[in-house]
Structures are given as C-alpha cells and as structure tokens.
Amino acid sequence: MVAVAVIGAAGGIGQPLSLLLKLTPGISRLSLYDIVNMPGVATDISHINTNSSVEFYVGQSQLSNALRGINIVVISAGVARKPGMTRNDLFSINASIVRELIEAVADTCPKALIAIVTNPLNSTVPIAAHVLKSKNCYNPKRLFGITTLDSIRASRFVRDTHGIDAMELHVPVVGGHSGNTIVPLLSMATPQVKLSQKEMEDLVQRIQYGGDEVVKAKDGEGSATLSMAYAGARFTSSLVQAVGGAQVMESAFVPLAADSQGAHQIRRLGANSLDFFAVPIELGKTGTLRIVPLDAEPNMLELKAIDIAARTLKDNIAQGIKYMDSNQPLY
C-alpha cells in the first residue's frame, strides 16, 4: 500500500484533491499538510468510509512529520491566478513556496515521487529539479509537473463539438502547461476525429486558454480548482498504481533526462535542447519508465505550435533557473 502526502491540502485545489484521494484505491495513508485550517479539513475527510488513514499537520514546524515515510508527494500549495495577475506576479510568490517545500522533501523523503500542481508549472518544476540537485538527491524519473488537465480539457472540448464519448477519447498533449506552450495533437486523437483546419484552430485556442475561461467565469473569485483537483487525483492515482506494480500511461511535464533515448523524437519535432517538456510517459515503481513515442508525425499546424511552445518554454525554464541562481540556499 502507498503513503501519499498532499502539501497545500486546505487550499482551493488541495481540499477537493484530498477528498478524491481519500476515495482512491491503493492509498493506505493520506498525510495532509497546510499552514492553516487543517484540523477541520482533515477531520471532515477522515469520516469517509474508505480504508486509508488520514493524518494532518499544520505549519512549518510540522512539515517534516507530514513527509516522513511518504511514497508520493503532491504539491498544490501556493496562490491561484486572479484576473489581471501576470505570470510574473504568480511566479514571484509561488517560486519561493515550491523551493522551500522541495527542500523539505529532499531532507525527509528524498526517494519519493514528486508531483507538482503549483503554477507556473513551466518554471516551478525546473526550480524543484535545481533544489534536488543541490541536495544530491535528484532523480529525473521521480519528478513530474501535472499537466493532466490539458488532456482532460482536450477530450471534453472535442466532445462538446463532435459528440464523442469524452471518457473514451484520448488526445496527446505536449509542450508545457500555460497558454501557447500547451500543444494538443488533435490529429493523433484516438478514436480519430475529423476536423477542419478552422475547427482545429478553435479547439487549440480553447484548450490552451481554458484556464482563462474559468477565471473569467468565477469573476475574480478564483481559478480552475475543481477540474484541477480531478486532474491531480487522476495523475496521482496513476502513480499509486505504478508504485503498486502496474505500468500506466500518462502525460506530464518532465525532465527529458528521465529517458534520454526516448526524448529523441520530441527533440527532433521541436523541443530541441530543452531540459523539460510535457510528453506521454509510461510509469512504473521507480517513476518514469520511458517516454512513449508518438504514433505519427504531427501535422504542419501542430509542428508550428510545438516550435512556438518551445521558444516560450525556453524563457519559462530559464526564469526558474535564474531564480535559483540568484537566491542563496536556505540551508
């Protein structure tokens, strides 16, 4: 059985994520951590009649206890994007949060699989990698940025226009996890979907900026929390299954060093020398077993989108590395 920690469990994503993980088979212990409001959230969730135990920890002084003996760490802590907030505004707050949390993971459970929700993901995952390297416990196979929501939106939005069963539809999504770095490969959807170029362009635009749709609909009161919690729970469930011995397919924003050989295809298609990219992966007990090759060549529209994504990602990744290089270690 598997022990999972949710860091940021009292937040807008953390609460529904924790609820869904309490319902997830294969989890024996659920460790919930946040800086406020944990007793009520955890007690409430603990009453659900599944077999996993629920523990709660509050504040920095209890963080190491929350992480002790953990197999999978899911980090959803940080501020959510609000209307008018730029990517740099979000980065300036969440970068330091992720940095401190990864420090604690490195010190307490260095062999845990780490799944990051906290945005901007294109920069927070490189920050996490930098911290783990500085702590001499970096394993690229064990680090993931959860991009599952992009795949979920892709299948749902195609269903909205074409009436296909969204639960049966799979659309590969590569690149990153914001705006034009999100590249849905609609030409490779299974089952195959016939789309005109206009339909494809409209769907790509909606998938890329689906988060803005939610922010606008919530009228300043938050961002995508419920759908992101669902996406986070789905990816974490896949990790749980993998730790239990299954081999599971997912997509995630990962270090391409997790499978240098398998990364050749996406590098040739436009990722080039980038260290991080969202790709389909096969998960196993140790994390990423391999990068799964795409079944076909992307069309011209998709190749152009990969090129645009790669150029934006280069800056996003560099921002995370620059932040770490310009800040002294916490230890």
Side-chain angles (χ1 to χ4, degrees):
M1 300 297 277
V2 181
V4 176
V6 179
I7 309 301
I13 295 172
Q15 288 195 39
L17 172 59
S18 299
L19 169 64
L20 291 169
L21 293 179
K22 184 68 173 76
L23 302 173
T24 300
I27 296 177
S28 57
R29 174 185 164 211
L30 195 56
S31 176
L32 306 181
Y33 170 87
D34 215 317
I35 56 174
V36 293
N37 299 332
M38 262 336 311
V41 172
T43 301
D44 198 358
I45 289 173
S46 74
H47 290 182
I48 294 169
N49 64 332
T50 56
N51 292 322
S52 54
S53 65
V54 177
E55 308 163 2
F56 69 85
Y57 301 90
V58 186
Q60 183 69 31
S61 64
Q62 294 189 24
L63 179 56
S64 61
N65 291 332
L67 293 169
R68 194 161 287 118
I70 292 298
N71 304 111
I72 298 169
V73 180
V74 186
I75 297 177
S76 63
V79 300
R81 186 160 60 95
K82 298 177 180 178
M85 180 179 279
T86 68
R87 187 182 181 284
N88 284 335
D89 294 334
L90 193 65
F91 176 83
S92 64
I93 300 170
N94 286 350
S96 61
I97 294 172
V98 169
R99 179 190 177 200
E100 292 180 14
L101 293 172
I102 296 295
E103 289 265 354
V105 172
D107 289 338
T108 310
C109 52
K111 293 186 178 182
L113 303 180
I114 303 168
I116 298 176
V117 173
T118 307
N119 280 316
L121 203 67
N122 299 346
S123 299
T124 55
V125 172
I127 286 172
H130 196 291
V131 172
L132 294 167
K133 287 176 184 177
S134 72
K135 290 283 197 173
N136 297 315
C137 61
Y138 178 58
N139 183 338
K141 295 179 180 294
R142 295 180 177 273
L143 179 62
F144 311 91
I146 299 180
T147 59
T148 311
L149 182 53
D150 302 323
S151 299
I152 289 169
R153 284 181 173 143
S155 60
R156 176 66 218 191
F157 295 167
V158 170
R159 189 265 174 211
D160 286 347
T161 59
H162 285 69
I164 297 168
D165 186 344
M167 297 296 289
E168 297 298 324
L169 180 66
H170 172 66
V171 179
V173 181
V174 300
H177 186 56
S178 67
N180 66 8
T181 70
I182 300 168
V183 184
L185 302 177
L186 293 162
S187 69
M188 299 183 203
T190 51
Q192 192 172 30
V193 182
K194 291 185 178 180
L195 299 168
S196 68
Q197 178 151 332
K198 176 65 164 58
E199 288 173 326
M200 190 172 290
E201 289 172 349
D202 289 347
L203 278 166
V204 168
Q205 174 74 13
R206 191 179 178 203
I207 294 162
Q208 288 181 332
Y209 296 97
D212 292 351
E213 192 176 309
V214 178
V215 170
K216 182 178 179 181
K218 290 190 175 182
D219 196 22
E221 295 301 315
S223 58
T225 53
L226 301 177
S227 55
M228 185 61 239
Y230 170 72
R234 193 182 95 172
F235 185 81
T236 305
S237 176
S238 292
L239 289 180
V240 170
Q241 292 174 61
V243 169
Q247 293 182 1
V248 189
M249 303 293 188
E250 275 288 353
S251 291
F253 186 65
V254 296
L256 293 182
D259 178 10
S260 298
Q261 189 69 28
H264 286 336
Q265 183 194 46
I266 199 66
R267 290 194 186 282
R268 174 178 60 80
L269 293 173
N272 302 319
S273 61
L274 291 176
D275 290 330
F276 303 87
F277 215 76
V279 286
I281 55 175
E282 183 178 354
L283 298 167
K285 283 187 175 183
T286 58
T288 299
L289 291 180
R290 65 185 179 107
I291 293 173
V292 179
L294 299 173
D295 292 336
E297 289 287 302
N299 62 31
M300 292 304 296
L301 181 69
E302 292 162 347
L303 285 171
K304 182 179 179 181
I306 290 173
D307 179 65
I308 292 169
R311 283 187 268 129
T312 303
L313 275 169
K314 183 178 180 181
D315 292 337
N316 295 166
I317 293 166
Q319 184 180 30
I321 301 303
K322 182 179 179 181
Y323 169 82
M324 290 303 302
D325 288 342
S326 62
N327 284 272
Q328 294 298 315
L330 297 174
Y331 47 90

